């Protein structure tokens, strides 16, 4: 078997996951309690004409799997139907919101990784020291603190009490936006960062115990060079945890956006759920889950291929 | 050593030194007993709150006329919320909702994990293939997102949410148990039982499982902590718990509006979530270190996002 | 280049707990010092202290001088980096883990090479030169460690270690994880390198025989202290310290079979600061003061070359004006305990003897694992009769372990048959007539179960009518105290665990015991104890043994007949005495030649009394 086949298997697994996911998301429509037609009508009046119109529009009389394929086909073209709540095309609603969520997640992600990885490495290098225990304790609290709880505390302390940051809203682009997103990003970064610290520390500890590190040190290699060596070794498990990190970011941003009333995808999702606006829920969920799934699979694949032992095993099989 | 004897394998097992006395001495110096004790105390307190009904009686009494009052108001040390409910009483009452569901989630996940994981690891073959595919699939999906979506769309309240979380958490435990079982199958002490002619189920129960138990226990605690966070998040969004119930996530959501008038109404339940979840995590971490039979690496990676 | 090493009263502690109560050593420039010790002797910690690689929380104090300059044992990492590499380098035991799996060998070798920027071509040339120095072809530079065999990896590691042109090379059990034939070549390489580079070599090993063969001087360690030093030949042939003597006696000779291995009860204790000699509790010469009076290394004889830390021996041999030590040389083996090697006395197991029924019959066994290029077993046939002890000798890849597993039913052969007492295999599940003792005592026992529970369960599967022993009886049978039944394996030493494994195997009253490298992972003194135990059990219980090992000397002690295996086939068979005294097949000859001490065997051999 060649490397190509190895990659092929992974891609196939990813595809399978996406298919199942899309199916689940589609089936949500049917899982919603109450009459399907009423769900789709939302707040509009229920008249026989309206019912017939809905039935036609959503092809509700077709067999299940046909409906699914039709929906999937449309989704792949970017057409997610119309919002039950606002009547506007879903795709349009998403457009405006994506930017906010992406910015928020990006800032939080960079913060989490930029602070989390060095802290994790430091804790591992000084294992058992006061520093290590402090960092580890902080990360335990960080992992236990849900983004919205931290967000609220931050909101109270820095926005209400001290008034340094704005309370709600997303600002007018550029620096103003950054200022508005500072607290939410910090709140989000705490939980995700704690996760990154844990994963990094574990990975680095494992490498530090390895013989090749001792051997490198015994040959007189400088501290910096040895660091590079074991960081390379630890890189794979750290990088492959990107899936967890992303999922944490996504889940967390839904909550944090709600806390800070930011007009992002997260709030859209939460509101749509409350209003049972199924088409929107389907669209957002599919988008987010696909993004996470694909990114994880791609990163995982590259990380594994970067390890020569895996390459050899793949070829040898 | 089963499997093909390739030229790269060693002639004999690398000499393992007696458990390094030095290493043990170093480890002993690193424990932080105070934090663990504090956590246990916190958890004990929570357990009391869950069990005793006295906290729940008056907590939900509303006093619309009174409305929001700040902390320090006579009779209400932490003030009242928008509906005039005493914040302190409400927070204490919320302990039950905060902890009971997660407990069930962790238990359910553990049971499912033990069952499916043992089955997959013991039988291997087709059974294992099916279980593994299912586990890989579920673990690849973002748990919190799906929980929110499913709980939100399907509705159904608190216990439906619990069920959804059990389904989302269990693959982690299944993988944990399956790996532990598979690893042990080829160890000499298990092969010895085959040579002794002991039956499969007996070996699983008496020989394999005792080494899996500590891993499951650690995972149990970590799952509780994650479930507390997840469920409070769901109720914060208005999902799961019914509107009037005593729940920390709900309190947070409601308290957001009166942040200027009585910040305690949301900050206090927020801190409660953090403190309890941390306490559970600390105990879980401590257990994981104590029960290190050399298989503790498996405990990581079993908790969902 | 003088690399005169002086270590004086080096102490290593982890907090309050002592790890090395005090070590004193000397190494002359350009020579090889062998540090010999069993598990728990502290030799690895010593080496780490001398290279500044002690783990966190462990500190070293004392005097350490290299070439006259004092080295600060508690110095910072930066200070140590001036010593590591350029003056002292450490080569680790396991070649499988000491190289970085993510980088190519060529790059790794140049890690610590001195010199600034060089062109690619220059670097390649340098790597090629270094590879050639360790006997490897140039293309290895482009390969990854996992693509190489164990021996090749160790050579790469040595090349990498030498890149910084060190004065002193410390090798911690550099060949323990390798095949016997590979061992020899690596040790030869080290000797060549030492000569060509004028390096000082410190070899850490548990193998006294190997140390004597390869080193100029020896230092024997016990419980964290050095108990004897001196020229290797002298220490080996005339050990002064009772422990060294015990260590020497425990080595199974490859040229003779002993009735019983001479042993000393007990095992190496933990290091302690308590006064007195750490060996006193086990020492046959111990007197009362040995446990109370301080014991230090003192000169032995007047030549000034040897030192011993023993109150009794040191005294007996006070200053004699002679050239050599005054310790009586050790007989190659106590003549009276040698069994008569004449053929008529050998246990009657020739194929011609059909009186005893075959307990085990293996016919034409063939086995190939999925994905393997070669067969693990390629037509193996043998027989074991009741009460017989048959040996299987081979290196890794010979198929000996696969054979063992097929015999006990852990593997199913592709072709051929395994018959026990005439009944068809696979043996298990089924009658419990065949049991197995594995190699690694640390994974042979379930960490979650108590010893008693394990043994009781094993005894419960004894067939009806067989002698069903109690847990207490089983423990006594293997020489362990009864209260061990309550303990978990974690509290037992390697030797004790292996005894429990044997007890477990004996519990269902089997007729045949398969020992798959059962003593290979044990210290030599513990190995001797277990070999005696197996011999006793064989005599007491009429047990048949199928003894698998790579160690010819061990095989000689415990088997009556032997089969030599290579690449899945039996290349030579016959009575053990005959095969090992006069091997026919070239492979057997090569194996015999690789045994440390084999070269010297003709010199030391004495006529039996």
């Amino acid at each position: 078997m060649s490397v190509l086949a190895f990659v092929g298997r992974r891609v196939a697994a990813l595809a399978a996951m996406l298919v199942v996911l899309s199916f689940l998301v589609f089936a949500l429509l049917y899982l919603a309690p109450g009459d399907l037609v009423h769900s789709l009508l939302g707040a509009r009046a229920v008249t026989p004409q309206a019912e017939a119109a809905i039935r036609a529009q959503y092809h509700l009389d077709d067999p299940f799997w046909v409906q699914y394929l039709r929906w999937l086909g449309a989704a792949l073209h970017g057409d997610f139907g119309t919002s039950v709540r606002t009547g506007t095309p879903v795709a349009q609603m998403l457009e405006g919101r994506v930017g906010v969520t992406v910015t928020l997640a990006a800032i939080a992600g960079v913060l989490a990784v930029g602070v989390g990885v060095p802290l994790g490495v430091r804790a591992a290098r000084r294992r058992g020291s006061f520093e290590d225990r402090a960092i580890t304790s902080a990360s335990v609290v960080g992992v236990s603190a849900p983004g919205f709880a931290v967000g609220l505390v931050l909101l109270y302390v820095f926005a209400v009490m001290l008034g340094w940051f704005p309370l709600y809203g997303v600002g007018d682009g550029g620096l103003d936006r950054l200022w508005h997103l500072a607290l939410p990003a910090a709140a989000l970064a705490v939980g995700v960062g704690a996760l990154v610290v844990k994963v990094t520390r574990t990975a680095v500890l494992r490498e530090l115990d390895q013989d090749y590190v001792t051997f490198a040190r015994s040959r007189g290699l400088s501290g910096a060079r040895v660091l590079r060596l074991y960081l390379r070794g630890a890189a794979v498990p750290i990088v492959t945890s990107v899936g967890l990190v992303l999922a944490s970011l996504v889940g967390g941003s839904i909550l944090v956006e709600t806390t800070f009333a930011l007009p992002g995808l997260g709030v859209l999702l939460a509101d749509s759920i409350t209003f049972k606006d199924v088409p929107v829920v389907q669209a957002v969920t599919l988008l987010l889950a696909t993004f996470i799934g694909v990114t994880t699979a791609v990163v995982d694949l590259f990380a594994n291929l970067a390890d020569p032992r895996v390459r050899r095993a793949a070829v040898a099989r | 050593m089963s499997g093909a004897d390739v030229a790269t394998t060693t002639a004999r097992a690398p000499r393992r030194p007696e458990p390094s006395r030095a290493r043990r001495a170093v480890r002993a110096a690193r424990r932080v007993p105070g934090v663990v004790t504090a956590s246990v105390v916190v958890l004990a307190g929570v357990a009391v709150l869950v069990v005793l009904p006295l906290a729940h009686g008056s907590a939900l009494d509303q006093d619309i006329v009174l409305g929001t009052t700040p902390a320090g108001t006579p009779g209400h040390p932490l003030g009242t919320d928008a509906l005039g409910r005493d914040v302190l009483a409400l927070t204490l009452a919320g302990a039950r909702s905060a902890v009971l569901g997660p407990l069930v989630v962790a238990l359910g996940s553990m049971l499912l994990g033990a069952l499916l994981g043992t089955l997959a690891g013991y039988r291997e073959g087709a059974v294992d293939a099916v279980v593994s595919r299912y586990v890989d699939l579920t673990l690849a999906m973002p748990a919190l997102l799906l929980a929110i979506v499913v709980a939100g769309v399907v509705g159904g309240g608190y216990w439906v949410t619990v069920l959804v979380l059990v389904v989302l958490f269990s693959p982690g435990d299944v993988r944990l148990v399956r790996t532990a079982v598979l690893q042990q199958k080829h160890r000499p002490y298990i092969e010895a039982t085959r040579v002794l002619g002991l039956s499969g189920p007996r070996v699983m129960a008496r020989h394999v499982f005792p080494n899996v138990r500590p891993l499951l226990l650690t995972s149990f605690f970590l799952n509780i902590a994650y479930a507390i966070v997840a469920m409070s998040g769901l109720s914060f969004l208005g999902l799961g718990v019914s509107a009037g119930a005593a729940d920390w996530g709900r309190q947070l959501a409601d308290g957001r509006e009166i942040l200027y008038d009585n910040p305690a109404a949301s900050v206090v339940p927020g801190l409660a979530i953090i403190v309890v979840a941390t306490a559970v995590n600390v105990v879980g971490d401590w257990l994981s270190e104590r029960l290190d039979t050399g298989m503790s690496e498996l405990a990581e990676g079993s908790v969902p996002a | 280049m003088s690399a005169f090493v002086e270590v004086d009263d080096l102490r290593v502690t982890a907090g309050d707990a002592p790890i090395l109560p005090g070590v004193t050593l000397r190494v002359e420039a350009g020579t090889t010092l062998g540090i010999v010790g069993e598990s728990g002797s502290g030799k690895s910690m010593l080496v780490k202290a001398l290279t500044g690689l002690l783990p966190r929380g462990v500190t070293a104090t004392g005097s350490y001088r290299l070439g006259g300059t004092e080295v600060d044992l508690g110095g910072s990492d930066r200070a140590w980096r001036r010593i590591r590499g350029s003056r002292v380098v450490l080569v680790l035991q396991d070649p499988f883990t000491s190289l970085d799996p993510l980088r190519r060998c060529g790059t790794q070798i140049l890690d610590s090479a001195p010199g600034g920027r060089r062109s690619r071509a220059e670097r390649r040339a340098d790597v090629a030169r270094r590879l050639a120095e360790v006997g490897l072809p140039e293309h290895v530079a482009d390969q990854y460690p996992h693509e190489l065999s164990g021996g090749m990896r160790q050579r790469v590691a040595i090349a990498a270690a030498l890149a910084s042109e060190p004065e002193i090379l410390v090798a911690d059990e550099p060949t323990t994880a390798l095949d016997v034939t590979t061992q020899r070549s690596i040790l030869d390489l080290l000797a060549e390198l030492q000569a060509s580079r004028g390096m000082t070599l410190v070899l850490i090993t548990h193998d006294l025989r190997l140390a004597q063969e390869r080193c100029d001087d020896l230092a024997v360690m016990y419980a964290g202290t050095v108990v004897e030093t001196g020229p290797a030949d002298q220490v080996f042939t005339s050990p002064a310290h009772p422990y060294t003597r015990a260590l020497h006696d425990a080595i199974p000779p490859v040229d003779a079979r002993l009735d019983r291995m001479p042993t000393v009860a007990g095992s190496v204790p933990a290091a302690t600061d308590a006064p007195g000699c750490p060996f006193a509790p086990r020492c046959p010469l111990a007197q009362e003061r040995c446990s109370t009076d301080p014991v230090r290394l003192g000169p032995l004889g007047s030549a000034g070359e040897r030192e011993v830390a023993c109150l009794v021996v040191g005294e007996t041999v006070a200053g004699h004006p002679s050239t050599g030590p005054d310790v009586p040389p050790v007989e190659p083996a106590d003549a009276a305990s040698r069994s008569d090697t004449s053929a008529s006395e050998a246990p009657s197991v020739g194929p011609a003897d059909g009186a005893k029924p075959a307990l085990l019959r293996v016919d034409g066994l063939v086995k190939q694992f999925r994905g393997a290029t070669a067969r693990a077993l390629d037509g193996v046939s043998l027989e074991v009769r009741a009460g017989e002890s048959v040996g299987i000798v081979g290196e890794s890849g010979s198929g000996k372990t696969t054979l063992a597993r097929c015999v006990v039913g852990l593997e199913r052969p592709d072709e051929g048959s395994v018959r026990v007492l005439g009944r068809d295999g696979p043996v298990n599940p089924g009658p419990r007539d065949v049991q197995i003792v594995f190699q690694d005592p640390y994974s042979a026992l379930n960490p979650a179960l108590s010893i008693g529970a394990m043994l009781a369960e094993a005894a419960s599967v004894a067939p009806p009518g067989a002698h069903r022993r109690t847990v207490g009886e089983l423990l006594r049978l293997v020489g362990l105290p009864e209260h061990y039944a309550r303990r978990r394996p974690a509290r037992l030493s390697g030797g004790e665990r292996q005894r429990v494994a044997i007890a477990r195997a004996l519990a269902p009253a089997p007729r045949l015991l398969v020992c798959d490298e059962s003593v290979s992972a044990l210290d030599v003194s513990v190995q001797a104890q277990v070999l005696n135990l197996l011999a006793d059990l064989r005599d007491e219980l009429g047990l048949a043994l199928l003894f698998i090992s790579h160690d010819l000397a061990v095989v000689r002690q415990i088997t009556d007949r032997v089969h030599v295996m290579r690449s899945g086939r039996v290349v030579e068979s016959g009575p053990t005495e005959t095969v090992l005294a006069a091997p026919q097949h070239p492979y057997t000859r090569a194996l015999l030649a690789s045994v440390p001490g084999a070269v010297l065997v003709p010199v030391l051999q004495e006529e039996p009394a």
Side-chain angles (χ1 to χ4, degrees), chain B residues 17, chain C residues 41-49 54 93 172-173 204 221:
Chain C
S41 59
K43 50 193 200 293
S44 281
M45 273 296 165
L46 172 63
V47 158
K48 293 211 175 110
L54 289 172
Q93 168 182 329
D172 188 356
E173 307 257 19
I204 317 289
M221 283 188 72

Side-chain angles (χ1 to χ4, degrees), chain C residues 104-111 127 131 140-143 156:
Chain C
R104 295 182 207 265
C105 292
T107 338
Q108 295 193 49
I109 290 177
L110 287 185
D111 268 344
V127 169
L131 282 172
V140 170
D142 295 319
Q143 292 185 282
V156 170

Side-chain angles (χ1 to χ4, degrees), chain C residues 573-584:
Chain C
S573 307
T576 311
E577 297 294 307
T578 321
V579 171
L580 292 185
Q584 301 294 313

Side-chain angles (χ1 to χ4, degrees), chain C residues 199-210:
Chain C
M199 278 190 317
T200 308
L201 193 57
V202 177
L203 210 57
I204 317 289
T205 178
H206 61 280
D207 190 336
L208 187 62
R209 207 166 35 187
L210 187 148

Side-chain angles (χ1 to χ4, degrees), chain C residues 308-491:
Chain C
V308 72
C310 181
L311 297 173
V312 178
V313 171
E315 219 178 49
T316 327
V317 208
H320 261 210
S322 54
T323 49
D326 297 271
V327 180
V330 179
E331 307 278 311
D334 190 351
S337 71
R338 278 189 188 229
S339 59
D340 194 332
T341 58
S342 61
S344 57
E345 286 279 0
S348 52
V349 284
D353 185 350
K356 295 215 188 98
L359 194 54
L360 171 75
R361 249 190 97 91
V362 171
D363 276 311
L365 225 51
V366 173
K367 176 83 187 168
Q368 180 160 8
F369 291 99
R370 241 181 339 148
T373 42
R375 288 179 168 183
L377 292 177
D378 198 3
V380 174
S381 305
L382 56 85
E383 231 179 51
V384 178
R385 293 200 178 79
E388 247 201 314
S389 176
V390 175
I392 311 276
V393 170
E395 297 183 291
S396 66
S398 59
K400 57 193 198 310
T401 297
T402 314
L403 175 63
R405 292 172 67 87
C406 285
V407 166
V408 294
L410 285 173
E411 300 281 359
R412 211 161 272 202
D414 300 331
E415 291 169 35
S417 69
V418 174
R419 277 189 167 78
V420 176
L421 290 175
R423 272 169 288 186
D424 263 335
V427 177
N428 287 296
R432 318 284 177 258
D433 298 314
V434 185
Q435 286 296 321
I436 186 166
V437 179
F438 295 103
Q439 172 179 358
D440 181 15
Y442 288 94
S443 55
L445 304 178
N446 193 332
L449 298 180
S450 71
I451 308 289
M454 254 184 256
L455 293 179
E457 191 180 37
S460 71
V461 301
H467 182 177
R468 189 174 287 205
R469 293 194 169 78
T470 64
V471 170
E473 284 172 13
L474 285 169
L475 285 171
R476 258 181 286 130
L477 199 60
V478 296
L480 289 174
E482 283 197 41
H483 65 81
Y484 268 40
R486 283 192 300 271
R487 292 198 183 174
R488 296 259 166 111
R491 294 181 56 195

Side-chain angles (χ1 to χ4, degrees), chain B residues 2 5 8-13 15-16 18 21-22 26 188-189 191-192 194-196 202 206-207 210-211, chain C residues 19 56 96 176-177 179 183 206 270 396-397 405 411 428 432 435 439-440 442-444 446 457 504 523 550:
Chain B
S2 67
D5 285 0
T8 51
T9 55
T10 52
R12 40 202 181 284
R15 306 187 63 83
R16 253 191 276 190
E18 304 290 325
R21 288 162 186 128
V26 173
Y189 60 83
E191 293 199 315
R194 282 173 64 190
V195 178
L196 281 172
R202 179 174 181 169
R206 295 201 61 200
H207 292 260
N211 285 305
Chain C
I19 298 177
R56 280 189 89 86
F96 297 92
T176 306
D179 270 338
Q183 274 191 16
H206 61 280
S396 66
R405 292 172 67 87
E411 300 281 359
N428 287 296
R432 318 284 177 258
Q435 286 296 321
Q439 172 179 358
D440 181 15
Y442 288 94
S443 55
N446 193 332
E457 191 180 37
R504 178 181 60 194
D523 280 328
H550 64 281

Side-chain angles (χ1 to χ4, degrees), chain A residues 262-287:
Chain A
L262 301 171
L265 282 178
V267 162
L268 178 63
L269 183 64
D271 289 343
S272 306
I273 289 176
T274 316
F275 282 101
K276 306 268 186 266
D277 189 353
V278 179
V280 177
V281 173
Q282 287 177 328
V284 176
T285 311
L286 189 65
L287 223 66

Side-chain angles (χ1 to χ4, degrees), chain C residues 272-332:
Chain C
T272 127
D273 278 327
C277 174
F279 190 58
R282 301 170 68 192
C283 181
L285 303 179
Q287 299 169 0
E288 253 197 62
R289 58 185 172 135
C290 289
S291 318
T292 51
D293 292 357
V295 183
R296 321 215 71 186
L297 271 183
L300 185 70
S302 63
E305 294 179 304
R306 297 186 64 176
E307 288 186 311
V308 72
C310 181
L311 297 173
V312 178
V313 171
E315 219 178 49
T316 327
V317 208
H320 261 210
S322 54
T323 49
D326 297 271
V327 180
V330 179
E331 307 278 311

